[in-house]
Amino acid sequence: MMWLLVFGLALTQQVTLASKYFQESLIHVKRNTLADNNNIICDHQAFELGIVLDSSASILPEDFTKGIKFLQDFLKRFDIGIDKVRVAIVVYSNNLHLEKSFNLSAYITKDAVIGAIGNITHASGGYTRTWDGISYMRSSQLGHQWVRPRVPKIGMVITDGNSQEGRKTKSQASIARENGIIMFALGVGDMVGQTELFNIAGDNSRIFRVESYSNLTSIINTLTNKTCVVTCTKPNLTDVYYVFSQSDLGLDKTRWVTDFISLSIVNNYENKGFKYDLRSDQCPNESGFWLDANKREQDFRNNLKSYNVPKLPVVIQHLRSEAGYSEAKGGRRNATKVAIMVVDSNTTAELVLTEVNLLLHQNVTVFVADPTNSGITIRGTTTLKGNVTEQSSQLVYYLLNPCKVLKSM
């Protein structure tokens, strides 16, 4: 494949502009991370989630149902699976309601977990034994014998009131944190005190309060973002592929791509743990066919049909099927895998969906660069926005700050 990269005055000016826009881009990305209320999910890495759910008599059955709906909507934002996010829940009031609870291994798909959450009904009970719920979650659900090694653990308590024995709740939450569980406290209404919530979470940044169960939906995005950040480990190594089709894009958009790549390569990247490569059309192998290839008119017509099909899905397939991230191809065993796909139409976006899903299942983080800036979205990916300088700056920011990457549903 022949490549011609022209680094002239125009590109030099754009590099200068990139440094100018970079800081603005950081602000832009931070500000808009949670802008789309229904488009935030978290799937950057696996973790274990233990939910401790209050079902005491002070909670009306209809409010309890709203709490269940909140949990279902919240869990939709995560990539749930046997090797990804796993979920356990314990329901409590004056005692533990284990018949309404389940452990990490009970359900291994997102649909199954959300369905099981939906089957939980209000248990009632005149006592609020929050400490028992936390203790059970720590020892019987997120204990070392049940969790995966080196996988983050999160405990989330949802309650509408103070426990009757606050010192026990404080003690059990402290033990959970000492055992490596990151504790969150969600308080509903004005009957639960700030001290109780702080004793559970151990940090004000992990405390969430709402006025009523109807208001729980207002914190879904913020809670999702916070959960993503606290469980994210910044990688030391990142292997990056740029993926595009010259045939699909044409000359002008291919020039946009070369500018985008040049602008988005991290300065001094070899010292920051980055490796870059690209996949594109395999020219000149696909430049046409010889006179002896068409014995009949129909052969010629059949060969022509191949030129009406976008080539990007095939390029992505080659990256995946040829194990582009393997050590044999120069990949590094512990590196984070990233692919930046250049997609210029919704039609192409639909055609690459299957291949993108296969990449996502191989734990590849996928970005979409769009020369047309037309708002193309592909589920599970992050779409870069703006002109070439703005998109390249956003990509650099995300590569350097992977814990900020939130993806389209």
Side-chain angles (χ1 to χ4, degrees):
M1 175 171 56
M2 296 294 292
W3 267 85
L4 180 61
L5 298 180
V6 181
F7 295 92
L9 177 59
L11 184 54
T12 303
Q13 291 173 336
Q14 286 183 311
V15 172
T16 303
L17 283 172
S19 61
K20 173 181 179 291
Y21 280 114
F22 183 68
Q23 293 301 323
E24 296 177 8
S25 176
L26 302 194
I27 298 170
H28 173 78
V29 173
K30 288 177 180 177
R31 183 182 298 137
N32 290 299
T33 298
L34 299 172
D36 298 324
N37 290 340
N38 296 316
N39 290 329
I40 301 300
I41 64 172
C42 173
D43 64 353
H44 60 261
Q45 75 174 58
F47 62 88
E48 317 283 30
L49 174 62
I51 300 168
V52 182
L53 182 62
D54 186 357
S55 183
S56 55
S58 58
I59 304 170
L60 297 174
E62 55 266 34
D63 282 337
F64 186 83
T65 300
K66 292 175 184 176
I68 291 295
K69 179 64 166 56
F70 159 76
L71 284 175
Q72 290 178 305
D73 291 342
F74 172 67
L75 292 173
K76 287 177 183 177
R77 311 302 179 94
F78 295 89
D79 198 0
I80 294 173
I82 192 168
D83 58 346
K84 296 178 181 178
V85 176
R86 299 195 303 171
V87 180
I89 187 168
V90 57
V91 181
Y92 74 95
S93 57
N94 57 338
N95 53 54
L96 300 179
H97 302 285
L98 299 184
E99 75 283 359
K100 300 176 183 290
S101 309
F102 58 83
N103 295 335
L104 292 173
S105 59
Y107 303 99
I108 60 174
T109 68
K110 180 182 291 190
D111 288 345
V113 169
I114 290 174
I117 293 286
N119 290 330
I120 297 174
T121 57
H122 189 230
S124 191
Y127 214 59
T128 306
R129 300 177 67 93
T130 306
W131 67 89
D132 273 350
I134 295 173
S135 175
Y136 184 85
M137 177 269 293
R138 172 187 58 79
S139 61
S140 298
Q141 294 180 322
L142 301 190
H144 67 88
Q145 67 271 48
W146 314 116
V147 300
R148 293 162 291 179
R150 296 180 299 280
V151 172
K153 299 178 290 185
I154 290 182
M156 186 174 296
V157 178
I158 305 175
T159 182
D160 79 324
N162 294 330
S163 52
Q164 271 74 19
E165 299 186 49
R167 285 180 294 181
K168 288 185 178 180
T169 296
K170 179 180 180 180
S171 175
Q172 288 300 324
S174 177
I175 294 171
R177 296 195 302 271
E178 289 170 2
N179 279 265
I181 300 174
I182 304 167
M183 295 295 294
F184 284 77
L186 279 64
V188 183
D190 57 6
M191 297 300 294
V192 56
Q194 188 69 15
T195 299
E196 174 91 353
L197 298 175
F198 181 82
N199 287 342
I200 293 170
D203 190 314
N204 284 322
S205 69
R206 297 194 298 272
I207 296 174
F208 292 80
R209 300 196 67 128
V210 293
E211 293 180 358
S212 68
Y213 280 89
S214 298
N215 297 126
L216 279 169
T217 55
S218 67
I219 65 170
I220 287 182
N221 278 335
T222 308
L223 183 61
T224 302
N225 182 47
K226 191 70 177 180
T227 307
C228 281
V229 171
V230 299
T231 59
C232 181
T233 302
K234 187 173 181 178
N236 294 319
L237 305 172
T238 305
D239 292 342
V240 181
Y241 273 98
Y242 295 91
V243 187
F244 61 98
S245 167
Q246 293 172 281
S247 302
D248 294 350
L249 295 172
L251 183 58
D252 287 343
K253 290 178 183 175
T254 297
R255 285 175 178 152
W256 185 97
V257 174
T258 60
D259 288 354
F260 168 76
I261 293 173
S262 300
L263 291 168
S264 61
I265 294 175
V266 177
N267 289 335
N268 199 24
Y269 68 81
E270 65 273 12
N271 293 329
K272 297 181 184 295
F274 290 94
K275 282 182 97 172
Y276 294 90
D277 212 328
L278 61 87
R279 298 295 296 174
S280 187
D281 304 72
Q282 299 300 301
C283 303
N285 294 338
E286 297 177 356
S287 59
F289 34 87
W290 301 110
L291 289 172
D292 62 354
N294 303 296
K295 305 301 184 184
R296 300 172 303 158
E297 177 184 338
Q298 190 59 44
D299 294 333
F300 191 81
R301 293 185 183 280
N302 289 339
N303 281 324
L304 280 176
K305 292 179 181 178
S306 66
Y307 289 86
N308 295 325
V309 179
K311 301 297 190 297
L312 184 59
V314 177
V315 177
I316 301 172
Q317 182 185 36
H318 286 165
L319 170 64
R320 181 181 53 78
S321 63
E322 294 174 11
Y325 294 96
S326 67
E327 292 183 68
K329 295 291 195 298
R332 293 163 294 180
R333 183 174 301 175
N334 297 318
T336 295
K337 297 175 286 188
V338 174
I340 302 104
M341 301 185 314
V342 181
V343 181
D344 67 339
S345 72
N346 285 313
T347 299
T348 303
E350 292 175 4
L351 291 172
V352 302
L353 187 57
T354 298
E355 287 298 329
V356 168
N357 285 333
L358 292 171
L359 278 179
L360 294 173
H361 287 154
Q362 293 178 355
N363 293 319
V364 178
T365 299
V366 181
F367 294 89
V368 174
D370 175 13
T372 66
N373 192 32
S374 56
I376 294 169
T377 58
I378 301 175
R379 182 173 181 173
T381 72
T382 299
T383 299
L384 306 171
K385 300 177 182 179
N387 60 34
V388 64
T389 304
E390 291 166 337
Q391 291 192 40
S392 62
S393 295
Q394 289 168 34
L395 178 61
V396 170
Y397 173 76
Y398 281 135
L399 290 177
L400 293 173
N401 300 275
C403 297
K404 300 294 185 182
V405 178
L406 297 175
K407 306 173 185 177
S408 300
M409 292 184 72

